Amino acid sequence: MKVFDTERQEWSRPEEERLSDPDRALDLRRQRLVRRNTAVVLAAAGLVFGVWALGWKDEPEPYREPVGAASGEPGPGAASEDGPRPETTPGEASALPPPAGWEPVHDPEGFRLALPEGWERESRPSLYGMDVVDYRDRSGVRRLQVFQVMESSPYASLEAAQLESERLDGYELITLEETGDGEREAAVHEYRADEVAGEADTGRRHVIDHRFEAGDGERYALVVYGSAGDGEDDERELLDTALSWFCPDGTTCAAPGN
């Protein structure tokens, strides 16, 4: 028997209707109960989502360390407690300026020192290490020589050099001694002579040959030549200033001038 379905506006059999849509076979009370339960479930789900969303929104952001705090540097706009600091060359402390009339020099052979202004440079190959470098004043009398030492210690190197110096005309020994500070080895050979090997005859000469271990673990020589007729202070000043500023490339050195 067919019945007219006023909702779908068609004729249908009750059996087919029950199979295609079982809820329609329920009575009105049961249909209302199903709709009410469905609404309760949806409302509960909405409440849970709302609580979760509110908690997520109010959750504080993770702590972020201020810029520069990890490295110990002040962040943007922060003021240093000690005021501005002078710029320094990597690997060394801030330096005092060289004496008036002197200038710092960075040599192509890989070291830095200080010299009187206007000195000329020349170099020649060496049997060991870097080239032998000579700096001269315009007169050619005053000279500073730099080279690497191959012997096992500065003093052993100077002992061998002194045997050669004794052959010079008018050789007069002033001192030959070790001068290390307990941390690094050093030695000095100071003398006068009427000639210098390989040099023109310019009168009696005063020579200070200082050999030492530098911060890079290598041994170097700074040899100062000057006239013996004008005293010895100028040669000692030349050696002390050059040595104070001497630093091999890539080495941490004490602040020049100290």
Side-chain angles (χ1 to χ4, degrees):
M1 177 180 174
K2 293 184 177 181
V3 295
F4 185 75
D5 190 332
T6 58
E7 184 174 334
R8 294 193 295 177
Q9 293 294 306
E10 65 180 4
W11 292 92
S12 64
R13 294 179 181 181
E15 294 83 0
E16 295 175 352
E17 184 69 18
R18 284 195 298 269
L19 292 175
S20 62
D21 190 0
D23 287 344
R24 288 185 176 275
L26 299 175
D27 56 50
L28 181 59
R29 182 176 181 180
R30 293 180 62 189
Q31 292 182 25
R32 289 176 178 174
L33 180 61
V34 170
R35 293 191 182 98
R36 185 172 59 191
N37 290 342
T38 301
V40 170
V41 171
L42 293 176
L47 179 61
V48 171
F49 176 79
V51 172
W52 173 83
L54 182 61
W56 172 80
K57 181 178 179 181
D58 294 339
E59 184 179 354
E61 294 185 1
Y63 173 76
R64 292 183 176 86
E65 197 168 19
V67 176
S71 61
E73 298 177 357
S80 171
E81 295 181 359
D82 300 327
R85 298 179 179 178
E87 295 184 3
T88 60
T89 302
E92 67 181 30
S94 57
L96 299 175
W102 294 65
E103 59 184 352
V105 174
H106 185 269
D107 194 272
E109 286 300 313
F111 61 86
R112 180 209 62 202
L113 45 65
L115 291 169
E117 295 175 352
W119 280 37
E120 298 179 353
R121 178 190 185 276
E122 59 185 25
S123 64
R124 63 183 184 277
S126 173
L127 296 176
Y128 176 80
M130 55 175 267
D131 287 353
V132 177
V133 179
D134 285 295
Y135 295 97
R136 299 176 184 269
D137 69 355
R138 292 185 177 88
S139 70
V141 175
R142 301 185 70 202
R143 174 163 64 113
L144 173 65
Q145 187 177 80
V146 186
F147 57 89
Q148 278 187 275
V149 173
M150 64 181 298
E151 287 81 9
S152 59
S153 72
Y155 188 76
S157 180
L158 283 178
E159 283 185 314
Q162 197 228 2
L163 294 177
E164 296 296 324
S165 300
E166 286 178 342
R167 300 176 184 178
L168 298 173
D169 291 343
Y171 173 80
E172 178 189 357
L173 175 65
I174 298 175
T175 185
L176 174 62
E177 61 180 347
E178 293 185 276
T179 58
D181 58 5
E183 180 179 357
R184 295 190 178 98
E185 293 182 298
V188 63
H189 175 210
E190 185 176 2
Y191 63 94
R192 303 182 189 93
D194 292 335
E195 61 174 336
V196 171
E199 294 287 301
D201 183 9
T202 54
R204 189 163 178 78
R205 309 293 291 275
H206 175 223
V207 182
I208 307 177
D209 187 342
H210 180 77
R211 307 192 182 190
F212 60 98
E213 180 185 352
D216 60 353
E218 297 291 334
R219 291 172 292 278
Y220 296 86
L222 295 183
V223 190
V224 172
Y225 301 85
S227 172
D230 60 359
E232 300 170 350
D233 291 343
D234 51 347
E235 283 80 48
R236 291 198 175 98
E237 179 188 24
L238 178 58
L239 175 63
D240 290 345
T241 306
L243 185 62
S244 175
W245 280 77
F246 185 85
C247 186
D249 287 355
T251 305
T252 301
C253 299
N258 292 339

